[in-house]
Amino acid sequence: EKISKFSLSLSLSFLPFVPCAAFSVLLIASRLDVESLSDTVIMKIACFTIALIVAVFDFASPLSLTPSTRRAFVVSGAGVSTAATAAAFLAPVLPASAAERGNERLQSYPDFTPLPSGISFKDATPAGTTLKGSPAQQGDRVVYAWSGYTIGYFGRPFQASGGPQGGAFDKEQDYNRCVLGDGSVVKGLEEGMRGMSAGQVRQVIVPAGPLSYPEDGDPKHDRVGPKPTTFSGERALNFVLENKAGTIDKTLLFNVKVIRVDKRDGKGGFVVER
């Protein structure tokens, strides 16, 4: 009977191992950034760690204790382990709130020029480049090449430069085009292209929110572009945009080169500048 009670108590002490191992697997699988963990999640990890330590103590210490002390130690240890495990399970998993994090997860880019709207830009035109035509203004049609990166989340590319974009002209199949102000591209990129001339290159940083892609309702980015041309690029972009936990910096970087600026002809069309 004593052996049976001891075995039962010892078995109870191993209960924390199962949820602890499961939690570790989930933590690794979710690829969570430690900095994004809320205080609640950190408390869970601490509770599991305490439970694991007590469980190991329960297993090792009875060998050197008297029978009565051994029984009390194992039972109490199992209780502490189980309580710690229960506390970890009962605590709700909540992402760190914006108030908890403030803006500490948002990276800063001091070499970029910030604008009142919230975007930042930097001129990246190669030295010696001759700019052509007049700068792009509201209502102009802009033909452009672009690449995009989730600069706030490991800088992963969602659009590489040089891929086919689809254009309206035989010699422009590698380029995109848009009319500034028609809402066909993200507002931040649209603002960044204003004032650019043919041949000019800019890097534009667009924060999450109304200046960026819609986070819902347009997963293929057909309504608001520019649209990634590959499935992997679309998936990389959507992984960031669709994060609801608030654990990812959704800031995007666009590299854009203006190929041509077409001015309105006053008759509903455009004058193609050569």
Side-chain angles (χ1 to χ4, degrees), residues 15-85:
L15 285 178
F17 279 104
V18 177
C20 186
F23 181 79
S24 299
V25 172
L26 290 175
L27 184 62
I28 295 173
S30 64
R31 298 179 300 176
L32 288 175
D33 181 356
V34 174
E35 293 182 358
S36 70
L37 296 179
S38 67
D39 293 340
T40 306
V41 176
I42 294 175
M43 183 182 71
K44 283 176 174 288
I45 299 175
C47 287
F48 278 122
T49 303
I50 293 172
L52 179 60
I53 293 173
V54 173
V56 173
F57 248 104
D58 286 351
F59 177 77
S61 57
L63 301 178
S64 60
L65 299 175
T66 63
S68 58
T69 307
R70 179 191 304 132
R71 185 182 301 108
F73 188 90
V74 171
V75 173
S76 62
V80 172
S81 299
T82 307
T85 304

Short mmCIF file of all heavy atoms in Angstrom, two decimals, residues 15-85:
data_model
loop_
_atom_site.label_atom_id
_atom_site.label_comp_id
_atom_site.label_asym_id
_atom_site.label_seq_id
_atom_site.Cartn_x
_atom_site.Cartn_y
_atom_site.Cartn_z
N LEU A 15 3.18 14.86 -14.14
CA LEU A 15 2.13 15.47 -14.95
C LEU A 15 2.60 16.73 -15.70
O LEU A 15 2.21 16.94 -16.84
CB LEU A 15 0.91 15.82 -14.07
CG LEU A 15 0.03 14.64 -13.65
CD1 LEU A 15 -1.09 15.14 -12.75
CD2 LEU A 15 -0.55 13.93 -14.86
N PRO A 16 3.39 17.57 -15.06
CA PRO A 16 3.80 18.79 -15.78
C PRO A 16 4.63 18.53 -17.02
O PRO A 16 4.71 19.40 -17.89
CB PRO A 16 4.63 19.56 -14.74
CG PRO A 16 4.15 19.04 -13.43
CD PRO A 16 3.85 17.61 -13.66
N PHE A 17 5.27 17.36 -17.12
CA PHE A 17 6.11 17.10 -18.28
C PHE A 17 5.32 17.14 -19.58
O PHE A 17 5.79 17.64 -20.60
CB PHE A 17 6.80 15.74 -18.15
CG PHE A 17 8.02 15.77 -17.27
CD1 PHE A 17 7.97 15.25 -16.00
CD2 PHE A 17 9.20 16.33 -17.72
CE1 PHE A 17 9.09 15.28 -15.18
CE2 PHE A 17 10.32 16.36 -16.92
CZ PHE A 17 10.27 15.83 -15.64
N VAL A 18 4.10 16.61 -19.57
CA VAL A 18 3.31 16.52 -20.78
C VAL A 18 2.93 17.90 -21.32
O VAL A 18 3.24 18.23 -22.47
CB VAL A 18 2.05 15.66 -20.55
CG1 VAL A 18 1.19 15.64 -21.81
CG2 VAL A 18 2.45 14.25 -20.15
N PRO A 19 2.25 18.75 -20.51
CA PRO A 19 1.93 20.09 -21.04
C PRO A 19 3.15 20.94 -21.32
O PRO A 19 3.15 21.76 -22.23
CB PRO A 19 1.06 20.71 -19.94
CG PRO A 19 1.40 19.96 -18.70
CD PRO A 19 1.70 18.57 -19.16
N CYS A 20 4.20 20.74 -20.52
CA CYS A 20 5.42 21.52 -20.74
C CYS A 20 6.02 21.20 -22.10
O CYS A 20 6.40 22.08 -22.86
CB CYS A 20 6.43 21.25 -19.63
SG CYS A 20 7.89 22.31 -19.71
N ALA A 21 6.09 19.90 -22.42
CA ALA A 21 6.62 19.48 -23.71
C ALA A 21 5.73 19.97 -24.85
O ALA A 21 6.21 20.46 -25.88
CB ALA A 21 6.74 17.96 -23.76
N ALA A 22 4.42 19.88 -24.65
CA ALA A 22 3.48 20.33 -25.68
C ALA A 22 3.63 21.82 -25.93
O ALA A 22 3.62 22.28 -27.08
CB ALA A 22 2.05 20.00 -25.26
N PHE A 23 3.76 22.57 -24.83
CA PHE A 23 3.88 24.03 -24.98
C PHE A 23 5.16 24.38 -25.72
O PHE A 23 5.19 25.29 -26.55
CB PHE A 23 3.86 24.69 -23.61
CG PHE A 23 3.96 26.19 -23.66
CD1 PHE A 23 2.85 26.96 -23.97
CD2 PHE A 23 5.16 26.83 -23.41
CE1 PHE A 23 2.93 28.34 -24.03
CE2 PHE A 23 5.25 28.21 -23.46
CZ PHE A 23 4.13 28.96 -23.77
N SER A 24 6.24 23.67 -25.44
CA SER A 24 7.52 23.93 -26.10
C SER A 24 7.40 23.71 -27.60
O SER A 24 7.90 24.49 -28.41
CB SER A 24 8.61 23.03 -25.52
OG SER A 24 8.79 23.31 -24.15
N VAL A 25 6.72 22.60 -27.97
CA VAL A 25 6.54 22.30 -29.39
C VAL A 25 5.73 23.40 -30.07
O VAL A 25 6.06 23.87 -31.16
CB VAL A 25 5.84 20.94 -29.56
CG1 VAL A 25 5.46 20.73 -31.03
CG2 VAL A 25 6.74 19.81 -29.08
N LEU A 26 4.65 23.85 -29.42
CA LEU A 26 3.81 24.90 -29.99
C LEU A 26 4.59 26.21 -30.12
O LEU A 26 4.43 26.94 -31.10
CB LEU A 26 2.57 25.11 -29.12
CG LEU A 26 1.53 24.00 -29.15
CD1 LEU A 26 0.43 24.30 -28.14
CD2 LEU A 26 0.95 23.85 -30.55
N LEU A 27 5.40 26.51 -29.13
CA LEU A 27 6.17 27.75 -29.14
C LEU A 27 7.14 27.77 -30.31
O LEU A 27 7.27 28.77 -31.02
CB LEU A 27 6.93 27.92 -27.83
CG LEU A 27 7.70 29.23 -27.65
CD1 LEU A 27 6.74 30.41 -27.67
CD2 LEU A 27 8.49 29.21 -26.36
N ILE A 28 7.81 26.64 -30.54
CA ILE A 28 8.76 26.55 -31.64
C ILE A 28 8.02 26.59 -32.97
O ILE A 28 8.42 27.27 -33.91
CB ILE A 28 9.59 25.25 -31.53
CG1 ILE A 28 10.47 25.30 -30.27
CG2 ILE A 28 10.46 25.06 -32.77
CD1 ILE A 28 11.20 24.02 -29.98
N ALA A 29 6.90 25.87 -33.05
CA ALA A 29 6.15 25.80 -34.31
C ALA A 29 5.58 27.15 -34.71
O ALA A 29 5.48 27.48 -35.89
CB ALA A 29 5.02 24.78 -34.19
N SER A 30 5.21 27.94 -33.74
CA SER A 30 4.60 29.24 -34.04
C SER A 30 5.63 30.29 -34.41
O SER A 30 5.29 31.38 -34.84
CB SER A 30 3.79 29.74 -32.84
OG SER A 30 4.64 29.97 -31.74
N ARG A 31 6.92 30.00 -34.22
CA ARG A 31 8.01 30.90 -34.57
C ARG A 31 7.82 32.28 -33.97
O ARG A 31 8.00 33.30 -34.62
CB ARG A 31 8.15 31.02 -36.09
CG ARG A 31 8.48 29.73 -36.76
CD ARG A 31 8.57 29.91 -38.25
NE ARG A 31 7.33 30.39 -38.81
CZ ARG A 31 7.16 30.71 -40.09
NH1 ARG A 31 8.17 30.63 -40.92
NH2 ARG A 31 6.00 31.14 -40.53
N LEU A 32 7.41 32.30 -32.70
CA LEU A 32 7.17 33.58 -32.03
C LEU A 32 8.48 34.30 -31.74
O LEU A 32 9.46 33.69 -31.34
CB LEU A 32 6.42 33.35 -30.71
CG LEU A 32 4.95 32.95 -30.83
CD1 LEU A 32 4.40 32.65 -29.45
CD2 LEU A 32 4.14 34.05 -31.48
N ASP A 33 8.49 35.56 -31.96
CA ASP A 33 9.61 36.41 -31.59
C ASP A 33 9.50 36.70 -30.10
O ASP A 33 8.46 37.13 -29.62
CB ASP A 33 9.53 37.71 -32.38
CG ASP A 33 10.69 38.65 -32.08
OD1 ASP A 33 11.51 38.31 -31.21
OD2 ASP A 33 10.77 39.70 -32.71
N VAL A 34 10.57 36.44 -29.34
CA VAL A 34 10.51 36.62 -27.89
C VAL A 34 10.07 38.03 -27.52
O VAL A 34 9.33 38.23 -26.57
CB VAL A 34 11.89 36.32 -27.26
CG1 VAL A 34 11.88 36.64 -25.77
CG2 VAL A 34 12.25 34.86 -27.45
N GLU A 35 10.50 39.02 -28.30
CA GLU A 35 10.14 40.39 -27.97
C GLU A 35 8.66 40.66 -28.12
O GLU A 35 8.13 41.61 -27.58
CB GLU A 35 10.92 41.36 -28.87
CG GLU A 35 12.41 41.35 -28.60
CD GLU A 35 13.12 42.36 -29.48
OE1 GLU A 35 12.44 43.00 -30.31
OE2 GLU A 35 14.33 42.48 -29.35
N SER A 36 7.96 39.79 -28.89
CA SER A 36 6.54 40.01 -29.11
C SER A 36 5.67 39.35 -28.05
O SER A 36 4.46 39.50 -28.06
CB SER A 36 6.14 39.48 -30.49
OG SER A 36 6.18 38.06 -30.50
N LEU A 37 6.27 38.58 -27.14
CA LEU A 37 5.48 37.88 -26.14
C LEU A 37 4.96 38.85 -25.09
O LEU A 37 5.66 39.73 -24.62
CB LEU A 37 6.34 36.81 -25.45
CG LEU A 37 6.84 35.67 -26.34
CD1 LEU A 37 7.68 34.72 -25.51
CD2 LEU A 37 5.70 34.93 -26.99
N SER A 38 3.71 38.66 -24.72
CA SER A 38 3.12 39.50 -23.69
C SER A 38 3.54 39.00 -22.32
O SER A 38 4.09 37.90 -22.17
CB SER A 38 1.59 39.49 -23.81
OG SER A 38 1.11 38.19 -23.50
N ASP A 39 3.25 39.78 -21.28
CA ASP A 39 3.57 39.37 -19.91
C ASP A 39 2.84 38.09 -19.55
O ASP A 39 3.34 37.27 -18.78
CB ASP A 39 3.18 40.49 -18.94
CG ASP A 39 4.04 41.73 -19.12
OD1 ASP A 39 5.14 41.59 -19.69
OD2 ASP A 39 3.62 42.81 -18.69
N THR A 40 1.62 37.90 -20.07
CA THR A 40 0.84 36.71 -19.76
C THR A 40 1.52 35.46 -20.29
O THR A 40 1.60 34.44 -19.62
CB THR A 40 -0.57 36.83 -20.37
OG1 THR A 40 -1.15 38.05 -19.93
CG2 THR A 40 -1.44 35.66 -19.94
N VAL A 41 2.02 35.53 -21.53
CA VAL A 41 2.68 34.37 -22.11
C VAL A 41 3.98 34.08 -21.37
O VAL A 41 4.33 32.92 -21.13
CB VAL A 41 2.97 34.61 -23.61
CG1 VAL A 41 3.74 33.45 -24.19
CG2 VAL A 41 1.65 34.81 -24.36
N ILE A 42 4.70 35.10 -21.00
CA ILE A 42 5.94 34.91 -20.23
C ILE A 42 5.62 34.25 -18.89
O ILE A 42 6.37 33.39 -18.40
CB ILE A 42 6.65 36.26 -20.02
CG1 ILE A 42 7.13 36.80 -21.37
CG2 ILE A 42 7.82 36.12 -19.06
CD1 ILE A 42 7.74 38.18 -21.30
N MET A 43 4.49 34.64 -18.26
CA MET A 43 4.09 34.01 -17.00
C MET A 43 3.83 32.53 -17.20
O MET A 43 4.14 31.70 -16.35
CB MET A 43 2.82 34.69 -16.46
CG MET A 43 2.36 34.14 -15.11
SD MET A 43 0.84 34.92 -14.55
CE MET A 43 -0.33 34.21 -15.70
N LYS A 44 3.23 32.18 -18.35
CA LYS A 44 2.98 30.77 -18.64
C LYS A 44 4.30 29.98 -18.69
O LYS A 44 4.42 28.90 -18.13
CB LYS A 44 2.26 30.64 -19.98
CG LYS A 44 0.79 30.96 -19.94
CD LYS A 44 0.22 30.88 -21.34
CE LYS A 44 -1.28 31.06 -21.33
NZ LYS A 44 -1.99 29.91 -20.78
N ILE A 45 5.26 30.54 -19.39
CA ILE A 45 6.55 29.87 -19.51
C ILE A 45 7.19 29.69 -18.13
O ILE A 45 7.75 28.65 -17.81
CB ILE A 45 7.49 30.66 -20.44
CG1 ILE A 45 6.87 30.74 -21.85
CG2 ILE A 45 8.87 30.02 -20.49
CD1 ILE A 45 7.66 31.60 -22.80
N ALA A 46 7.09 30.72 -17.28
CA ALA A 46 7.64 30.65 -15.93
C ALA A 46 6.95 29.56 -15.12
O ALA A 46 7.60 28.79 -14.40
CB ALA A 46 7.50 32.00 -15.24
N CYS A 47 5.62 29.48 -15.25
CA CYS A 47 4.87 28.46 -14.50
C CYS A 47 5.28 27.06 -14.94
O CYS A 47 5.46 26.16 -14.10
CB CYS A 47 3.36 28.66 -14.71
SG CYS A 47 2.68 30.08 -13.85
N PHE A 48 5.43 26.85 -16.23
CA PHE A 48 5.84 25.54 -16.71
C PHE A 48 7.26 25.20 -16.25
O PHE A 48 7.57 24.05 -15.92
CB PHE A 48 5.78 25.50 -18.24
CG PHE A 48 4.41 25.24 -18.78
CD1 PHE A 48 3.81 26.15 -19.63
CD2 PHE A 48 3.70 24.10 -18.43
CE1 PHE A 48 2.54 25.93 -20.12
CE2 PHE A 48 2.44 23.88 -18.93
CZ PHE A 48 1.84 24.79 -19.77
N THR A 49 8.13 26.21 -16.22
CA THR A 49 9.49 25.97 -15.75
C THR A 49 9.51 25.56 -14.29
O THR A 49 10.21 24.62 -13.89
CB THR A 49 10.34 27.25 -15.95
OG1 THR A 49 10.30 27.64 -17.32
CG2 THR A 49 11.78 27.00 -15.53
N ILE A 50 8.71 26.26 -13.46
CA ILE A 50 8.62 25.90 -12.04
C ILE A 50 8.10 24.48 -11.90
O ILE A 50 8.62 23.69 -11.10
CB ILE A 50 7.70 26.89 -11.29
CG1 ILE A 50 8.35 28.29 -11.27
CG2 ILE A 50 7.41 26.41 -9.88
CD1 ILE A 50 7.43 29.36 -10.71
N ALA A 51 7.07 24.15 -12.66
CA ALA A 51 6.50 22.81 -12.58
C ALA A 51 7.52 21.75 -12.94
O ALA A 51 7.61 20.69 -12.29
CB ALA A 51 5.29 22.71 -13.51
N LEU A 52 8.33 22.02 -13.96
CA LEU A 52 9.34 21.06 -14.39
C LEU A 52 10.41 20.87 -13.33
O LEU A 52 10.82 19.74 -13.03
CB LEU A 52 9.96 21.54 -15.70
CG LEU A 52 11.07 20.66 -16.28
CD1 LEU A 52 10.53 19.27 -16.58
CD2 LEU A 52 11.63 21.29 -17.55
N ILE A 53 10.86 21.97 -12.72
CA ILE A 53 11.90 21.89 -11.68
C ILE A 53 11.40 21.09 -10.49
O ILE A 53 12.09 20.22 -9.95
CB ILE A 53 12.33 23.30 -11.24
CG1 ILE A 53 13.05 24.01 -12.40
CG2 ILE A 53 13.23 23.23 -10.01
CD1 ILE A 53 13.38 25.46 -12.10
N VAL A 54 10.17 21.38 -10.06
CA VAL A 54 9.60 20.66 -8.91
C VAL A 54 9.45 19.19 -9.23
O VAL A 54 9.69 18.32 -8.39
CB VAL A 54 8.25 21.28 -8.50
CG1 VAL A 54 7.57 20.44 -7.42
CG2 VAL A 54 8.45 22.70 -8.00
N ALA A 55 9.05 18.87 -10.47
CA ALA A 55 8.88 17.47 -10.84
C ALA A 55 10.20 16.71 -10.76
O ALA A 55 10.26 15.57 -10.30
CB ALA A 55 8.31 17.39 -12.26
N VAL A 56 11.28 17.34 -11.22
CA VAL A 56 12.60 16.71 -11.15
C VAL A 56 13.02 16.51 -9.69
O VAL A 56 13.56 15.47 -9.31
CB VAL A 56 13.64 17.56 -11.91
CG1 VAL A 56 15.04 17.01 -11.69
CG2 VAL A 56 13.31 17.60 -13.39
N PHE A 57 12.77 17.50 -8.83
CA PHE A 57 13.07 17.39 -7.41
C PHE A 57 12.30 16.23 -6.78
O PHE A 57 12.82 15.48 -5.97
CB PHE A 57 12.70 18.69 -6.69
CG PHE A 57 13.91 19.44 -6.19
CD1 PHE A 57 14.36 20.57 -6.86
CD2 PHE A 57 14.60 19.00 -5.07
CE1 PHE A 57 15.47 21.25 -6.41
CE2 PHE A 57 15.71 19.69 -4.61
CZ PHE A 57 16.14 20.82 -5.27
N ASP A 58 11.02 16.12 -7.17
CA ASP A 58 10.18 15.03 -6.63
C ASP A 58 10.77 13.67 -6.95
O ASP A 58 10.69 12.73 -6.17
CB ASP A 58 8.77 15.12 -7.20
CG ASP A 58 7.98 16.27 -6.61
OD1 ASP A 58 8.49 16.87 -5.64
OD2 ASP A 58 6.88 16.56 -7.10
N PHE A 59 11.35 13.57 -8.15
CA PHE A 59 11.88 12.29 -8.56
C PHE A 59 13.17 11.93 -7.84
O PHE A 59 13.41 10.78 -7.46
CB PHE A 59 12.13 12.30 -10.08
CG PHE A 59 12.75 11.04 -10.59
CD1 PHE A 59 11.98 9.90 -10.75
CD2 PHE A 59 14.10 11.00 -10.90
CE1 PHE A 59 12.55 8.73 -11.22
CE2 PHE A 59 14.68 9.83 -11.37
CZ PHE A 59 13.91 8.70 -11.53
N ALA A 60 14.03 12.94 -7.60
CA ALA A 60 15.35 12.67 -7.05
C ALA A 60 15.39 12.63 -5.53
O ALA A 60 16.07 11.81 -4.93
CB ALA A 60 16.34 13.71 -7.56
N SER A 61 14.64 13.50 -4.86
CA SER A 61 14.80 13.66 -3.42
C SER A 61 14.28 12.52 -2.55
O SER A 61 14.84 12.28 -1.48
CB SER A 61 14.15 14.98 -2.98
OG SER A 61 12.79 14.98 -3.36
N PRO A 62 13.22 11.77 -2.93
CA PRO A 62 12.75 10.71 -2.03
C PRO A 62 13.79 9.66 -1.69
O PRO A 62 13.67 8.94 -0.70
CB PRO A 62 11.59 10.09 -2.82
CG PRO A 62 11.10 11.19 -3.68
CD PRO A 62 12.34 11.92 -4.07
N LEU A 63 14.83 9.51 -2.50
CA LEU A 63 15.83 8.49 -2.25
C LEU A 63 16.60 8.73 -0.96
O LEU A 63 17.14 7.79 -0.37
CB LEU A 63 16.81 8.44 -3.44
CG LEU A 63 16.16 8.14 -4.81
CD1 LEU A 63 17.23 8.18 -5.90
CD2 LEU A 63 15.45 6.80 -4.77
N SER A 64 16.66 9.99 -0.49
CA SER A 64 17.47 10.31 0.69
C SER A 64 16.64 10.78 1.88
O SER A 64 17.18 11.32 2.83
CB SER A 64 18.49 11.39 0.31
OG SER A 64 17.82 12.55 -0.14
N LEU A 65 15.31 10.61 1.84
CA LEU A 65 14.45 11.06 2.92
C LEU A 65 13.86 9.88 3.67
O LEU A 65 13.79 8.76 3.18
CB LEU A 65 13.31 11.93 2.36
CG LEU A 65 13.75 13.21 1.63
CD1 LEU A 65 12.52 13.90 1.04
CD2 LEU A 65 14.49 14.14 2.57
N THR A 66 13.41 10.14 4.91
CA THR A 66 12.72 9.12 5.68
C THR A 66 11.36 8.87 5.05
O THR A 66 10.85 9.71 4.30
CB THR A 66 12.52 9.61 7.12
OG1 THR A 66 11.69 10.76 7.12
CG2 THR A 66 13.86 9.95 7.77
N PRO A 67 10.73 7.73 5.32
CA PRO A 67 9.44 7.41 4.70
C PRO A 67 8.38 8.48 4.90
O PRO A 67 7.68 8.86 3.96
CB PRO A 67 9.05 6.10 5.38
CG PRO A 67 10.35 5.47 5.74
CD PRO A 67 11.24 6.62 6.13
N SER A 68 8.23 9.01 6.14
CA SER A 68 7.18 10.00 6.37
C SER A 68 7.49 11.32 5.67
O SER A 68 6.62 11.93 5.04
CB SER A 68 7.02 10.25 7.88
OG SER A 68 8.26 10.70 8.43
N THR A 69 8.76 11.76 5.74
CA THR A 69 9.13 13.00 5.07
C THR A 69 9.05 12.85 3.56
O THR A 69 8.64 13.76 2.84
CB THR A 69 10.57 13.40 5.45
OG1 THR A 69 10.68 13.43 6.86
CG2 THR A 69 10.92 14.77 4.89
N ARG A 70 9.42 11.64 3.09
CA ARG A 70 9.38 11.37 1.65
C ARG A 70 7.95 11.51 1.13
O ARG A 70 7.71 12.14 0.11
CB ARG A 70 9.90 9.96 1.38
CG ARG A 70 9.88 9.58 -0.10
CD ARG A 70 10.15 8.09 -0.28
NE ARG A 70 11.41 7.72 0.33
CZ ARG A 70 11.56 6.67 1.14
NH1 ARG A 70 10.52 5.92 1.47
NH2 ARG A 70 12.74 6.39 1.64
N ARG A 71 6.99 10.93 1.89
CA ARG A 71 5.60 10.96 1.45
C ARG A 71 5.10 12.40 1.39
O ARG A 71 4.46 12.83 0.42
CB ARG A 71 4.73 10.14 2.40
CG ARG A 71 3.28 10.02 1.92
CD ARG A 71 2.42 9.23 2.92
NE ARG A 71 2.95 7.88 3.11
CZ ARG A 71 3.57 7.47 4.23
NH1 ARG A 71 3.72 8.31 5.24
NH2 ARG A 71 4.02 6.25 4.34
N ALA A 72 5.41 13.18 2.42
CA ALA A 72 4.95 14.57 2.47
C ALA A 72 5.59 15.39 1.35
O ALA A 72 4.95 16.24 0.72
CB ALA A 72 5.28 15.18 3.83
N PHE A 73 6.86 15.12 1.10
CA PHE A 73 7.57 15.90 0.07
C PHE A 73 7.02 15.61 -1.31
O PHE A 73 6.76 16.53 -2.10
CB PHE A 73 9.07 15.55 0.12
CG PHE A 73 9.91 16.44 -0.77
CD1 PHE A 73 10.45 17.60 -0.26
CD2 PHE A 73 10.14 16.11 -2.09
CE1 PHE A 73 11.22 18.42 -1.06
CE2 PHE A 73 10.91 16.93 -2.88
CZ PHE A 73 11.46 18.09 -2.36
N VAL A 74 6.80 14.33 -1.60
CA VAL A 74 6.31 13.96 -2.92
C VAL A 74 4.91 14.49 -3.18
O VAL A 74 4.62 15.06 -4.23
CB VAL A 74 6.34 12.42 -3.09
CG1 VAL A 74 5.64 12.02 -4.39
CG2 VAL A 74 7.77 11.91 -3.10
N VAL A 75 4.03 14.33 -2.16
CA VAL A 75 2.65 14.79 -2.32
C VAL A 75 2.61 16.32 -2.50
O VAL A 75 1.93 16.85 -3.37
CB VAL A 75 1.78 14.36 -1.13
CG1 VAL A 75 0.40 14.99 -1.23
CG2 VAL A 75 1.66 12.83 -1.11
N SER A 76 3.36 17.03 -1.64
CA SER A 76 3.36 18.48 -1.74
C SER A 76 4.00 18.94 -3.05
O SER A 76 3.55 19.89 -3.69
CB SER A 76 4.11 19.11 -0.56
OG SER A 76 5.47 18.69 -0.57
N GLY A 77 5.05 18.25 -3.46
CA GLY A 77 5.70 18.59 -4.71
C GLY A 77 4.79 18.37 -5.90
O GLY A 77 4.73 19.19 -6.82
N ALA A 78 4.06 17.26 -5.88
CA ALA A 78 3.11 17.01 -6.96
C ALA A 78 2.04 18.08 -6.99
O ALA A 78 1.58 18.51 -8.05
CB ALA A 78 2.47 15.63 -6.77
N GLY A 79 1.64 18.51 -5.79
CA GLY A 79 0.62 19.56 -5.73
C GLY A 79 1.12 20.87 -6.31
O GLY A 79 0.41 21.53 -7.08
N VAL A 80 2.36 21.23 -5.95
CA VAL A 80 2.93 22.47 -6.50
C VAL A 80 3.07 22.38 -8.01
O VAL A 80 2.75 23.31 -8.75
CB VAL A 80 4.29 22.78 -5.84
CG1 VAL A 80 4.96 23.96 -6.54
CG2 VAL A 80 4.10 23.07 -4.36
N SER A 81 3.54 21.23 -8.48
CA SER A 81 3.72 21.04 -9.92
C SER A 81 2.41 21.16 -10.65
O SER A 81 2.30 21.85 -11.67
CB SER A 81 4.34 19.66 -10.20
OG SER A 81 5.59 19.57 -9.58
N THR A 82 1.40 20.45 -10.12
CA THR A 82 0.09 20.49 -10.76
C THR A 82 -0.53 21.88 -10.70
O THR A 82 -1.14 22.35 -11.66
CB THR A 82 -0.86 19.47 -10.09
OG1 THR A 82 -0.24 18.19 -10.09
CG2 THR A 82 -2.18 19.39 -10.86
N ALA A 83 -0.34 22.57 -9.58
CA ALA A 83 -0.89 23.92 -9.45
C ALA A 83 -0.22 24.87 -10.43
O ALA A 83 -0.88 25.72 -11.04
CB ALA A 83 -0.68 24.42 -8.01
N ALA A 84 1.09 24.73 -10.57
CA ALA A 84 1.80 25.60 -11.51
C ALA A 84 1.33 25.35 -12.94
O ALA A 84 1.15 26.28 -13.74
CB ALA A 84 3.31 25.37 -11.41
N THR A 85 1.13 24.05 -13.26
CA THR A 85 0.64 23.71 -14.58
C THR A 85 -0.76 24.27 -14.81
O THR A 85 -1.06 24.82 -15.87
CB THR A 85 0.61 22.18 -14.76
OG1 THR A 85 1.91 21.66 -14.51
CG2 THR A 85 0.18 21.82 -16.18
#
